[in-house]
Amino acid sequence: MNGFIRGLGEMEIQGVKGFASAGKWLSVALVGACGLLSGVTPALCQPNQPPLQLSRASGGHPQDVEFIIPPTVPGAPNAFPASLPSYSLADLERIALGRHPALAQAAAQVEAARGRWVQAGLRPNPTFGYSGQEIGNEGTVGQQGLYASREFVMGNKLGLSQSAAAEQIRAAEAAWRTTEMRVMADLRFAFINALVAQERLGLAQEIQRVSDDGVTVARARVEARESAQVDLIQAQIEASRAGVLVTNAQAELDQAWRRLTVAVGGEALEREPLLGTLVGNIPDFDWQGTWNRVMDSNPLLANAQAQISAARWNIQRQGAEPIPNVTVQAGVSYGAISDHTFTNLQLSIPIPVNDANQGTLQAARAEFSSAQRNLDRVMLQLERSLADVFASYQAANRQVEWYETDILKNAGDALEIIRGTYRLGETDYTAVLTAQRTFFDARSQYLNALQAAHVAAVRLDFLLLEDAITQ
């Protein structure tokens, strides 16, 4: 899959009995929470969610991404009421494309390059003037006249200047495409992080409810003399810890939402739930295919190549500079003493004896060499970044697979077994708390793995481009 998220398999939660079905591994991974916690359905366990959908324009980078997710299941823990309007990624993309200052700045740079191209091809302006000579000679006005002059640019200097400026337009357009991809990548990062923070708050709220229920159960068992007082104390400690988790998760969501506001261009957004889920198939990237995409399509390379072409044209332009321009001046004047009209014609050509533009030509050649080395540097930078990001992508993918196929199932099974033995009086509440904490920690780490996998996938899909603000 080439897009940010290429389809998510539908998640079906069938209850604890679903553990027996090998074809429903995702139910196996999450049913421990959804089937054991008094019927509570966390945000990660919403049934039958349709996949995220992505389409890619034929010649460009990912766009037109739309999350199609139904409203939150009634009763599911969520940071927002289900009745509120919601944001999809496509909604936020439209906002960012319309208001992000980095895009406006890059577009202005393109227009500036086009303006320089126009200016580079303009011929010198003609000159018109007045000439007065021998004024006062024998009490007359002397010679009075008008003249016009024109400089003719030789050696195709204007054409060469425009050729160099045209490559600068290409470079500016590549820079604009780079900025656009950075803006879209930043938005996806912020969306993923906000979506994770939204889910994490729901998970924390679920933990708090379960912990509060545990206090109630422990108190009842202590009063019935079925458990020791220490069980109640431990349950109360766990409930207090859950309250801290909710506070931290709310702060994380607030921060994620503020960063999402920055990602769309800085104008405040109404706090609404985000539509989407990270659960499902992670985009599939292989090293060679991704390397080829980065080397063929990254606009940083297009920009560097355009800079090389501009520098090459500039060498030719500076080499033509010693070819002298020709200035022609013609004038008509009237001599009061002789009562005659005179015509004047002048032709001037500078002789490049001392200044043959040799210094500028030397600088142009050095700039050409620098532009070539810059392309090599950018390629090395991309290769290093790709190595790091691809390693993160592979590691996160493996973690997601382990959690989905093994860890969550085992943690859920262990919690079910411990609760059963606790109900039979065969273990104390400490074992229940430990198993419960292990299970919720596993779900939290699963969220972290999903987040890391999708963030790495965005970096790969957007050719390692990000951070539109500081670049």
Side-chain angles (χ1 to χ4, degrees):
M1 158 178 172
N2 293 326
F4 160 48
I5 298 178
R6 187 185 62 185
L8 294 180
E10 293 188 354
M11 181 173 62
E12 301 179 4
I13 303 301
Q14 302 292 342
V16 176
K17 293 182 179 180
F19 286 124
S21 174
K24 295 177 180 174
W25 54 266
L26 191 53
S27 291
V28 169
L30 298 179
V31 73
C34 306
L36 295 175
L37 301 175
S38 304
V40 174
T41 306
L44 281 176
C45 302
Q46 297 175 15
N48 299 322
Q49 299 202 56
L52 306 180
Q53 297 183 351
L54 177 138
S55 63
R56 179 191 292 276
S58 59
H61 52 272
Q63 54 186 325
D64 300 329
V65 181
E66 184 176 2
F67 285 77
I68 307 177
I69 303 295
T72 305
V73 176
N78 200 291
F80 305 93
S83 60
L84 285 177
S86 303
Y87 282 118
S88 69
L89 181 57
D91 296 331
L92 297 173
E93 279 188 325
R94 284 189 290 269
I95 296 173
L97 290 174
R99 77 164 61 151
H100 204 288
L103 288 173
Q105 180 187 21
Q109 292 297 327
V110 173
E111 287 304 308
R114 290 171 178 168
R116 287 189 287 270
W117 176 85
V118 171
Q119 187 64 35
L122 298 180
R123 294 178 295 177
N125 291 324
T127 301
F128 290 91
Y130 158 79
S131 175
Q133 301 180 38
E134 300 185 10
I135 298 173
N137 187 10
E138 298 184 6
T140 67
V141 296
Q143 294 181 5
Q144 302 288 323
L146 300 174
Y147 68 90
S149 67
R150 173 75 179 274
E151 181 182 7
F152 293 88
V153 180
M154 310 302 289
N156 191 31
K157 296 188 188 73
L158 298 181
L160 293 172
S161 295
Q162 278 203 313
S163 295
E167 295 301 326
Q168 293 294 349
I169 294 176
R170 283 183 52 209
E173 290 174 341
W176 183 90
R177 290 193 296 272
T178 300
T179 300
E180 184 187 33
M181 294 183 72
R182 290 187 193 279
V183 168
M184 293 295 99
D186 289 352
L187 177 57
R188 281 162 172 75
F189 293 147
F191 189 87
I192 290 170
N193 294 336
L195 194 61
V196 168
Q198 183 174 288
E199 295 288 352
R200 201 179 299 283
L201 178 58
L203 178 60
Q205 291 169 341
E206 179 186 345
I207 294 172
Q208 186 176 45
R209 281 192 295 271
V210 171
S211 299
D212 290 343
D213 290 343
V215 171
T216 301
V217 171
R219 179 176 288 110
R221 292 179 65 88
V222 168
E223 291 174 354
R225 300 184 182 277
E226 296 176 355
S227 296
Q229 181 70 25
V230 69
D231 287 352
L232 176 58
I233 295 174
Q234 290 174 331
Q236 291 170 334
I237 293 173
E238 195 70 13
S240 297
R241 289 183 69 254
V244 173
L245 289 178
V246 171
T247 299
N248 293 341
Q250 183 62 62
E252 179 184 346
L253 181 59
D254 291 342
Q255 179 195 34
W257 196 266
R258 294 186 186 105
R259 294 182 72 90
L260 183 61
T261 297
V262 172
V264 299
E267 188 172 332
L269 296 172
E270 293 294 331
R271 184 69 70 90
E272 296 175 358
L274 300 175
L275 298 181
T277 177
L278 299 178
V279 176
N281 296 325
I282 307 298
D284 184 19
F285 293 98
D286 66 276
W287 170 262
Q288 191 59 49
T290 305
W291 166 257
N292 292 338
R293 283 186 61 238
V294 170
M295 292 297 115
D296 293 342
S297 306
N298 194 300
L300 287 177
L301 296 175
N303 180 282
Q305 290 163 350
Q307 295 290 354
I308 291 175
S309 297
R312 183 182 292 112
W313 280 111
N314 190 45
I315 291 176
Q316 297 186 47
R317 170 61 184 84
Q318 300 308 324
E321 184 65 21
I323 300 174
N325 296 340
V326 178
T327 302
V328 177
Q329 178 176 307
V332 177
S333 60
Y334 169 75
I337 297 176
S338 63
D339 193 25
H340 287 295
T341 300
F342 301 93
T343 301
N344 300 311
L345 181 63
Q346 295 182 10
L347 179 69
S348 64
I349 300 176
I351 301 175
V353 175
N354 299 316
D355 181 4
N357 204 42
Q358 56 267 38
T360 306
L361 183 58
Q362 178 183 348
R365 288 170 177 159
E367 289 169 355
F368 175 69
S369 177
S370 175
Q372 290 179 311
R373 300 291 78 78
N374 179 63
L375 176 60
D376 296 337
R377 181 192 63 80
V378 172
M379 293 179 67
L380 288 175
Q381 181 184 34
L382 291 175
E383 184 173 4
R384 183 184 67 181
S385 298
L386 182 58
D388 294 342
V389 174
F390 201 84
S392 299
Y393 164 79
Q394 289 181 312
N397 256 349
R398 288 193 292 268
Q399 290 179 39
V400 169
E401 182 179 356
W402 288 334
Y403 277 103
E404 290 176 340
T405 60
D406 184 25
I407 297 175
L408 287 176
K409 176 187 181 302
N410 290 337
D413 286 345
L415 180 58
E416 181 184 16
I417 293 170
I418 292 297
R419 282 183 170 176
T421 57
Y422 177 72
R423 285 192 294 268
L424 296 175
E426 297 176 358
T427 187
D428 59 15
Y429 196 63
T430 301
V432 176
L433 290 179
T434 300
Q436 183 173 287
R437 186 178 299 176
T438 299
F439 178 72
F440 282 120
D441 284 346
R443 286 179 56 189
S444 180
Q445 293 302 316
Y446 175 51
L447 266 179
N448 291 342
L450 282 172
Q451 182 180 20
H454 283 292
V455 165
V458 170
R459 289 194 169 102
L460 296 177
D461 202 33
F462 281 83
L463 309 178
L464 311 175
L465 297 173
E466 57 184 287
D467 197 359
I469 296 177
T470 60
Q471 297 294 330

